[in-house]
Amino acid sequence: MTVPGLPRVITPPVSPIDRSAVDRDLSDGLVVLAAEPGARVLLLRRGRAPLDETGAIVFVPESVVDAEVIVAFLGRDASGPVLLALLEEDDDAPIDPAGGWAELREVGGALGLEEAAFFVEALSLARWIRDAAFCPACGTRTELRNVGWSRHCPSCGREHFPRTDPAVIVAVTDGTRLLLGSNAAWPEGRYSCFAGFVEAGESAEETLVREIEEESGVRITALEYVGSQAWPYPRSLMLGYLASTENAEAARPDGSEIVDVRWFEPDEIARALAGEGDVTLPGPSSISRGLIERWLERVTER
């Protein structure tokens, strides 16, 4: 099933960082990697990273960080290995960043590809490291292994690995207009694409059809996969689609999660993307923004 005018072939992206799986098997890997020339550390404090005066992430030398807070290896860039350190709110930070501490949602769209990739990876891995301290099978405290990429249970012997939860996110069109929804938790005037987690036993496409009908009342008649985005809130993989419906008149909010749905004309979306008017759209770091921009680009090319 395809939406007319969209490409069927997606060019595979090249990762901006080298995750270097071979380094995860090193004996006493964090110590070995930290000793390499050029080793640097990405600090996270309650999900926030330090920024310099230009808004770029500050990667600090390994030598200024307490080894006890270094928990994982994130990968390599041109300078060498990058490690992850987790700070508690009251921990003394080794730096006082000129740009303060910022969340990914606040600054992700302004970061370079490499910085953003490290930030997303760090957040996703950090949440798992904090949340999975105990074996879900027997309750024993687990041990971090593979430079932060696995947990071993010393009691029952099970190995546990970071989770990724698949979710779909969908921009719905009736051919000339775009349907967006407003979540109950958002400020008035904020609209975005529809999204939901894949349930047990579902395919991504089945989830898409179910979620759209549940949240907006319309039935999907065609869909096109656009791309995916790692989204570490908490540790999701967002699968992005454009979809078509032929019963636009059925659009209505579910009244609980979605409090309003609205059909937008292309000129309305263009103004909102430019920051004009009273409608707020997703920020530039979100795949939702990319789907909206993709739809607008396609519909205005016709």
Side-chain angles (χ1 to χ4, degrees), residues 19-68:
R19 290 177 175 248
S20 189
V22 65
D23 285 321
R24 299 180 188 180
D25 294 328
L26 290 172
S27 178
D28 207 10
L30 289 179
V31 174
V32 173
L33 291 165
E36 278 195 34
R40 294 169 300 143
V41 179
L42 173 55
L43 301 168
L44 280 188
R45 171 180 271 173
R46 297 297 186 188
R48 294 176 171 84
L51 304 181
D52 65 18
E53 63 278 359
T54 70
I57 290 179
V58 179
F59 294 87
V60 302
E62 175 278 332
S63 58
V64 306
V65 181
D66 187 340
E68 292 184 0

CSV table of all heavy atoms in Angstrom, one decimal, residues 19-68:
chain,number,residue,atom,x,y,z
A,19,ARG,N,29.8,2.5,16.7
A,19,ARG,CA,29.5,1.9,18.0
A,19,ARG,C,30.5,0.8,18.4
A,19,ARG,O,30.5,0.3,19.5
A,19,ARG,CB,28.1,1.3,17.9
A,19,ARG,CG,27.0,2.4,17.9
A,19,ARG,CD,25.6,1.8,17.7
A,19,ARG,NE,24.6,2.8,17.8
A,19,ARG,CZ,23.7,3.0,18.8
A,19,ARG,NH1,23.7,2.1,19.8
A,19,ARG,NH2,22.8,3.9,18.8
A,20,SER,N,31.3,0.4,17.5
A,20,SER,CA,32.5,-0.5,17.7
A,20,SER,C,32.1,-1.6,18.7
A,20,SER,O,32.6,-1.7,19.8
A,20,SER,CB,33.6,0.4,18.3
A,20,SER,OG,34.8,-0.4,18.4
A,21,ALA,N,31.3,-2.6,18.2
A,21,ALA,CA,30.9,-3.7,19.0
A,21,ALA,C,32.1,-4.5,19.5
A,21,ALA,O,32.0,-5.1,20.6
A,21,ALA,CB,30.0,-4.6,18.2
A,22,VAL,N,33.2,-4.5,18.7
A,22,VAL,CA,34.4,-5.3,19.2
A,22,VAL,C,34.9,-4.8,20.5
A,22,VAL,O,35.4,-5.6,21.3
A,22,VAL,CB,35.5,-5.3,18.1
A,22,VAL,CG1,36.0,-3.9,17.9
A,22,VAL,CG2,36.6,-6.3,18.4
A,23,ASP,N,34.8,-3.5,20.8
A,23,ASP,CA,35.3,-3.0,22.0
A,23,ASP,C,34.4,-3.4,23.2
A,23,ASP,O,34.9,-3.4,24.4
A,23,ASP,CB,35.3,-1.5,22.0
A,23,ASP,CG,36.4,-0.9,21.2
A,23,ASP,OD1,37.5,-1.5,21.2
A,23,ASP,OD2,36.2,0.1,20.4
A,24,ARG,N,33.2,-3.9,23.0
A,24,ARG,CA,32.4,-4.3,24.1
A,24,ARG,C,32.8,-5.7,24.7
A,24,ARG,O,32.4,-6.0,25.8
A,24,ARG,CB,30.9,-4.5,23.6
A,24,ARG,CG,30.3,-3.1,23.1
A,24,ARG,CD,28.9,-3.3,22.7
A,24,ARG,NE,28.4,-2.1,22.0
A,24,ARG,CZ,27.2,-1.9,21.5
A,24,ARG,NH1,26.3,-3.0,21.6
A,24,ARG,NH2,26.9,-0.8,20.9
A,25,ASP,N,33.7,-6.4,24.0
A,25,ASP,CA,34.1,-7.7,24.5
A,25,ASP,C,35.5,-7.6,25.2
A,25,ASP,O,36.0,-8.6,25.6
A,25,ASP,CB,34.3,-8.7,23.3
A,25,ASP,CG,32.9,-9.0,22.7
A,25,ASP,OD1,31.9,-9.0,23.5
A,25,ASP,OD2,32.9,-9.2,21.5
A,26,LEU,N,36.0,-6.3,25.3
A,26,LEU,CA,37.3,-6.2,26.0
A,26,LEU,C,37.2,-6.6,27.5
A,26,LEU,O,36.2,-6.2,28.2
A,26,LEU,CB,37.8,-4.7,25.9
A,26,LEU,CG,38.2,-4.2,24.5
A,26,LEU,CD1,38.4,-2.7,24.6
A,26,LEU,CD2,39.4,-4.9,24.0
A,27,SER,N,38.2,-7.2,28.0
A,27,SER,CA,38.3,-7.5,29.4
A,27,SER,C,38.6,-6.2,30.1
A,27,SER,O,39.5,-5.5,29.7
A,27,SER,CB,39.4,-8.6,29.6
A,27,SER,OG,39.5,-8.8,31.0
A,28,ASP,N,37.8,-6.0,31.2
A,28,ASP,CA,38.0,-4.7,31.9
A,28,ASP,C,37.9,-3.5,30.9
A,28,ASP,O,38.7,-2.6,31.0
A,28,ASP,CB,39.3,-4.7,32.7
A,28,ASP,CG,39.2,-3.8,33.9
A,28,ASP,OD1,38.1,-3.3,34.3
A,28,ASP,OD2,40.3,-3.6,34.5
A,29,GLY,N,36.9,-3.6,30.0
A,29,GLY,CA,36.8,-2.7,28.9
A,29,GLY,C,36.8,-1.2,29.2
A,29,GLY,O,37.5,-0.4,28.6
A,30,LEU,N,36.1,-0.8,30.3
A,30,LEU,CA,36.0,0.6,30.6
A,30,LEU,C,37.3,1.2,31.0
A,30,LEU,O,37.7,2.3,30.6
A,30,LEU,CB,34.9,0.9,31.7
A,30,LEU,CG,33.4,0.7,31.3
A,30,LEU,CD1,32.5,0.9,32.4
A,30,LEU,CD2,33.1,1.6,30.1
A,31,VAL,N,38.1,0.4,31.7
A,31,VAL,CA,39.4,0.9,32.2
A,31,VAL,C,40.3,1.0,31.0
A,31,VAL,O,41.0,2.0,30.8
A,31,VAL,CB,40.0,-0.1,33.2
A,31,VAL,CG1,41.4,0.3,33.5
A,31,VAL,CG2,39.1,-0.1,34.5
A,32,VAL,N,40.3,0.0,30.1
A,32,VAL,CA,41.1,0.0,28.9
A,32,VAL,C,40.8,1.2,28.0
A,32,VAL,O,41.7,1.9,27.5
A,32,VAL,CB,41.0,-1.3,28.2
A,32,VAL,CG1,41.7,-1.3,26.8
A,32,VAL,CG2,41.5,-2.5,29.0
A,33,LEU,N,39.5,1.4,27.8
A,33,LEU,CA,39.1,2.4,26.8
A,33,LEU,C,39.3,3.8,27.4
A,33,LEU,O,39.7,4.7,26.7
A,33,LEU,CB,37.6,2.3,26.5
A,33,LEU,CG,37.2,1.1,25.7
A,33,LEU,CD1,35.7,0.8,25.7
A,33,LEU,CD2,37.7,1.3,24.2
A,34,ALA,N,39.2,4.0,28.7
A,34,ALA,CA,39.4,5.2,29.4
A,34,ALA,C,40.9,5.6,29.3
A,34,ALA,O,41.2,6.8,29.3
A,34,ALA,CB,39.0,5.2,30.8
A,35,ALA,N,41.7,4.6,29.2
A,35,ALA,CA,43.2,4.9,29.1
A,35,ALA,C,43.7,5.3,27.7
A,35,ALA,O,44.8,5.7,27.6
A,35,ALA,CB,44.0,3.7,29.6
A,36,GLU,N,42.8,5.1,26.7
A,36,GLU,CA,43.2,5.5,25.4
A,36,GLU,C,43.4,7.0,25.2
A,36,GLU,O,42.7,7.8,25.8
A,36,GLU,CB,42.2,5.0,24.4
A,36,GLU,CG,42.2,3.6,24.0
A,36,GLU,CD,41.4,3.3,22.7
A,36,GLU,OE1,41.3,4.2,21.9
A,36,GLU,OE2,40.9,2.2,22.7
A,37,PRO,N,44.4,7.4,24.4
A,37,PRO,CA,44.5,8.8,24.1
A,37,PRO,C,43.3,9.3,23.4
A,37,PRO,O,42.7,8.6,22.5
A,37,PRO,CB,45.7,8.9,23.2
A,37,PRO,CG,46.5,7.6,23.5
A,37,PRO,CD,45.5,6.6,23.9
A,38,GLY,N,42.8,10.4,23.8
A,38,GLY,CA,41.6,11.0,23.1
A,38,GLY,C,40.3,10.5,23.7
A,38,GLY,O,39.2,10.9,23.3
A,39,ALA,N,40.3,9.7,24.8
A,39,ALA,CA,39.1,9.2,25.4
A,39,ALA,C,38.4,10.4,26.1
A,39,ALA,O,39.0,11.3,26.7
A,39,ALA,CB,39.4,8.2,26.5
A,40,ARG,N,37.1,10.5,25.9
A,40,ARG,CA,36.3,11.6,26.4
A,40,ARG,C,35.0,11.0,27.0
A,40,ARG,O,34.7,9.9,26.8
A,40,ARG,CB,36.0,12.6,25.3
A,40,ARG,CG,37.2,13.4,24.8
A,40,ARG,CD,36.8,14.2,23.6
A,40,ARG,NE,36.3,13.3,22.5
A,40,ARG,CZ,35.3,13.6,21.7
A,40,ARG,NH1,34.7,14.8,21.8
A,40,ARG,NH2,34.9,12.7,20.8
A,41,VAL,N,34.4,11.9,27.8
A,41,VAL,CA,33.2,11.4,28.6
A,41,VAL,C,32.0,12.3,28.3
A,41,VAL,O,32.2,13.6,28.3
A,41,VAL,CB,33.5,11.4,30.1
A,41,VAL,CG1,32.2,10.9,30.9
A,41,VAL,CG2,34.7,10.4,30.4
A,42,LEU,N,30.8,11.7,28.1
A,42,LEU,CA,29.6,12.5,28.0
A,42,LEU,C,28.9,12.4,29.4
A,42,LEU,O,28.6,11.3,29.8
A,42,LEU,CB,28.7,11.9,26.9
A,42,LEU,CG,27.3,12.5,26.8
A,42,LEU,CD1,27.3,14.0,26.7
A,42,LEU,CD2,26.5,11.8,25.7
A,43,LEU,N,28.7,13.5,30.0
A,43,LEU,CA,28.1,13.5,31.3
A,43,LEU,C,26.6,13.7,31.2
A,43,LEU,O,26.1,14.4,30.4
A,43,LEU,CB,28.6,14.7,32.1
A,43,LEU,CG,30.1,14.8,32.4
A,43,LEU,CD1,30.5,16.2,33.0
A,43,LEU,CD2,30.5,13.7,33.4
A,44,LEU,N,25.8,12.9,32.0
A,44,LEU,CA,24.4,13.1,32.0
A,44,LEU,C,24.0,13.3,33.5
A,44,LEU,O,24.4,12.5,34.4
A,44,LEU,CB,23.7,11.8,31.5
A,44,LEU,CG,23.5,11.6,30.0
A,44,LEU,CD1,22.6,10.4,29.8
A,44,LEU,CD2,23.0,12.9,29.3
A,45,ARG,N,23.2,14.3,33.7
A,45,ARG,CA,22.7,14.6,35.0
A,45,ARG,C,21.2,14.7,34.9
A,45,ARG,O,20.7,15.7,34.4
A,45,ARG,CB,23.3,15.9,35.6
A,45,ARG,CG,22.6,16.4,36.9
A,45,ARG,CD,23.2,17.7,37.4
A,45,ARG,NE,24.3,17.4,38.3
A,45,ARG,CZ,25.1,18.3,38.8
A,45,ARG,NH1,25.0,19.6,38.4
A,45,ARG,NH2,26.1,18.0,39.6
A,46,ARG,N,20.5,13.7,35.4
A,46,ARG,CA,19.0,13.6,35.3
A,46,ARG,C,18.6,13.9,33.9
A,46,ARG,O,17.6,14.6,33.6
A,46,ARG,CB,18.4,14.7,36.3
A,46,ARG,CG,18.7,14.4,37.7
A,46,ARG,CD,18.1,13.1,38.2
A,46,ARG,NE,18.2,12.9,39.6
A,46,ARG,CZ,17.9,11.8,40.2
A,46,ARG,NH1,17.5,10.7,39.5
A,46,ARG,NH2,18.1,11.7,41.5
A,47,GLY,N,19.2,13.2,32.9
A,47,GLY,CA,18.8,13.3,31.6
A,47,GLY,C,19.3,14.5,30.8
A,47,GLY,O,18.9,14.7,29.7
A,48,ARG,N,20.1,15.4,31.5
A,48,ARG,CA,20.6,16.6,30.8
A,48,ARG,C,22.1,16.5,30.6
A,48,ARG,O,22.8,15.9,31.4
A,48,ARG,CB,20.3,17.8,31.7
A,48,ARG,CG,18.9,18.1,31.9
A,48,ARG,CD,18.7,19.3,32.9
A,48,ARG,NE,17.3,19.7,33.0
A,48,ARG,CZ,16.4,19.2,33.7
A,48,ARG,NH1,16.6,18.1,34.5
A,48,ARG,NH2,15.1,19.6,33.7
A,49,ALA,N,22.5,17.1,29.5
A,49,ALA,CA,23.9,17.1,29.1
A,49,ALA,C,24.5,18.5,29.2
A,49,ALA,O,23.7,19.5,29.0
A,49,ALA,CB,24.1,16.6,27.7
A,50,PRO,N,25.8,18.7,29.4
A,50,PRO,CA,26.3,20.0,29.5
A,50,PRO,C,26.6,20.6,28.1
A,50,PRO,O,27.0,20.0,27.2
A,50,PRO,CB,27.7,19.8,30.2
A,50,PRO,CG,28.0,18.4,29.8
A,50,PRO,CD,26.7,17.6,29.7
A,51,LEU,N,26.3,21.9,28.0
A,51,LEU,CA,26.5,22.7,26.8
A,51,LEU,C,27.5,23.8,26.9
A,51,LEU,O,27.7,24.4,28.0
A,51,LEU,CB,25.2,23.3,26.3
A,51,LEU,CG,24.0,22.3,26.1
A,51,LEU,CD1,22.8,23.2,25.6
A,51,LEU,CD2,24.3,21.2,25.1
A,52,ASP,N,28.3,24.1,25.9
A,52,ASP,CA,29.2,25.2,25.9
A,52,ASP,C,28.4,26.5,25.5
A,52,ASP,O,27.2,26.5,25.2
A,52,ASP,CB,30.4,25.0,25.0
A,52,ASP,CG,30.1,24.9,23.6
A,52,ASP,OD1,29.0,25.3,23.1
A,52,ASP,OD2,31.0,24.3,22.8
A,53,GLU,N,29.1,27.6,25.4
A,53,GLU,CA,28.5,28.9,25.1
A,53,GLU,C,27.9,28.9,23.7
A,53,GLU,O,27.0,29.7,23.4
A,53,GLU,CB,29.5,30.0,25.2
A,53,GLU,CG,30.7,30.0,24.3
A,53,GLU,CD,31.8,29.0,24.7
A,53,GLU,OE1,31.6,28.4,25.8
A,53,GLU,OE2,32.8,28.9,24.0
A,54,THR,N,28.3,28.0,22.8
A,54,THR,CA,27.7,28.0,21.4
A,54,THR,C,26.5,27.0,21.3
A,54,THR,O,25.8,26.9,20.3
A,54,THR,CB,28.7,27.5,20.4
A,54,THR,OG1,29.0,26.1,20.6
A,54,THR,CG2,30.0,28.3,20.5
A,55,GLY,N,26.2,26.3,22.4
A,55,GLY,CA,25.1,25.3,22.4
A,55,GLY,C,25.5,23.9,22.0
A,55,GLY,O,24.7,23.0,21.9
A,56,ALA,N,26.8,23.7,21.9
A,56,ALA,CA,27.3,22.4,21.6
A,56,ALA,C,27.5,21.6,22.9
A,56,ALA,O,27.8,22.1,23.9
A,56,ALA,CB,28.6,22.4,20.8
A,57,ILE,N,27.4,20.2,22.8
A,57,ILE,CA,27.7,19.4,23.9
A,57,ILE,C,29.1,19.4,24.3
A,57,ILE,O,30.0,19.4,23.5
A,57,ILE,CB,27.2,17.9,23.6
A,57,ILE,CG1,25.7,17.8,23.5
A,57,ILE,CG2,27.7,17.0,24.7
A,57,ILE,CD1,25.2,16.5,23.2
A,58,VAL,N,29.4,19.5,25.6
A,58,VAL,CA,30.7,19.4,26.1
A,58,VAL,C,31.1,18.0,26.5
A,58,VAL,O,30.5,17.4,27.3
A,58,VAL,CB,30.9,20.3,27.4
A,58,VAL,CG1,32.3,20.2,27.9
A,58,VAL,CG2,30.5,21.7,27.1
A,59,PHE,N,32.1,17.4,25.8
A,59,PHE,CA,32.7,16.1,26.1
A,59,PHE,C,33.9,16.4,26.9
A,59,PHE,O,34.8,17.1,26.4
A,59,PHE,CB,33.0,15.4,24.8
A,59,PHE,CG,31.8,15.0,24.0
A,59,PHE,CD1,31.3,15.8,23.1
A,59,PHE,CD2,31.2,13.7,24.2
A,59,PHE,CE1,30.2,15.5,22.3
A,59,PHE,CE2,30.0,13.4,23.5
A,59,PHE,CZ,29.6,14.3,22.5
A,60,VAL,N,34.0,15.9,28.1
A,60,VAL,CA,35.1,16.2,29.0
A,60,VAL,C,36.2,15.1,29.0
A,60,VAL,O,35.9,13.9,28.7
A,60,VAL,CB,34.6,16.4,30.5
A,60,VAL,CG1,33.6,17.5,30.5
A,60,VAL,CG2,34.0,15.1,31.0
A,61,PRO,N,37.4,15.4,29.3
A,61,PRO,CA,38.5,14.4,29.3
A,61,PRO,C,38.2,13.4,30.4
A,61,PRO,O,37.6,13.7,31.5
A,61,PRO,CB,39.7,15.2,29.6
A,61,PRO,CG,39.4,16.6,29.3
A,61,PRO,CD,37.9,16.8,29.5
A,62,GLU,N,38.5,12.2,30.1
A,62,GLU,CA,38.3,11.1,31.1
A,62,GLU,C,39.0,11.4,32.4
A,62,GLU,O,38.5,11.0,33.5
A,62,GLU,CB,38.8,9.8,30.5
A,62,GLU,CG,38.8,8.6,31.4
A,62,GLU,CD,40.0,8.5,32.3
A,62,GLU,OE1,41.0,9.0,31.9
A,62,GLU,OE2,39.8,7.9,33.5
A,63,SER,N,40.1,12.1,32.4
A,63,SER,CA,41.0,12.3,33.5
A,63,SER,C,40.3,13.2,34.6
A,63,SER,O,40.7,13.2,35.8
A,63,SER,CB,42.3,13.0,33.1
A,63,SER,OG,42.0,14.2,32.5
A,64,VAL,N,39.3,14.0,34.2
A,64,VAL,CA,38.6,14.8,35.2
A,64,VAL,C,37.3,14.2,35.8
A,64,VAL,O,36.7,14.8,36.6
A,64,VAL,CB,38.2,16.2,34.6
A,64,VAL,CG1,39.5,16.8,33.9
A,64,VAL,CG2,37.1,16.1,33.5
A,65,VAL,N,37.0,13.0,35.4
A,65,VAL,CA,35.8,12.3,35.9
A,65,VAL,C,36.1,11.2,36.8
A,65,VAL,O,37.0,10.4,36.6
A,65,VAL,CB,35.0,11.8,34.6
A,65,VAL,CG1,33.7,11.1,35.1
A,65,VAL,CG2,34.7,12.9,33.6
A,66,ASP,N,35.3,11.1,37.9
A,66,ASP,CA,35.5,10.0,38.8
A,66,ASP,C,35.1,8.7,38.1
A,66,ASP,O,34.0,8.6,37.6
A,66,ASP,CB,34.5,10.2,40.0
A,66,ASP,CG,34.7,9.2,41.1
A,66,ASP,OD1,35.3,8.1,40.9
A,66,ASP,OD2,34.3,9.5,42.3
A,67,ALA,N,36.0,7.7,38.2
A,67,ALA,CA,35.8,6.5,37.5
A,67,ALA,C,34.6,5.7,38.0
A,67,ALA,O,34.0,5.0,37.2
A,67,ALA,CB,37.1,5.6,37.7
A,68,GLU,N,34.1,6.0,39.2
A,68,GLU,CA,33.0,5.3,39.7
A,68,GLU,C,31.7,5.7,39.0
A,68,GLU,O,30.7,4.9,39.1
A,68,GLU,CB,32.8,5.6,41.2
A,68,GLU,CG,33.9,4.9,42.0
A,68,GLU,CD,33.7,5.1,43.5
A,68,GLU,OE1,32.7,5.7,43.9
A,68,GLU,OE2,34.6,4.7,44.3
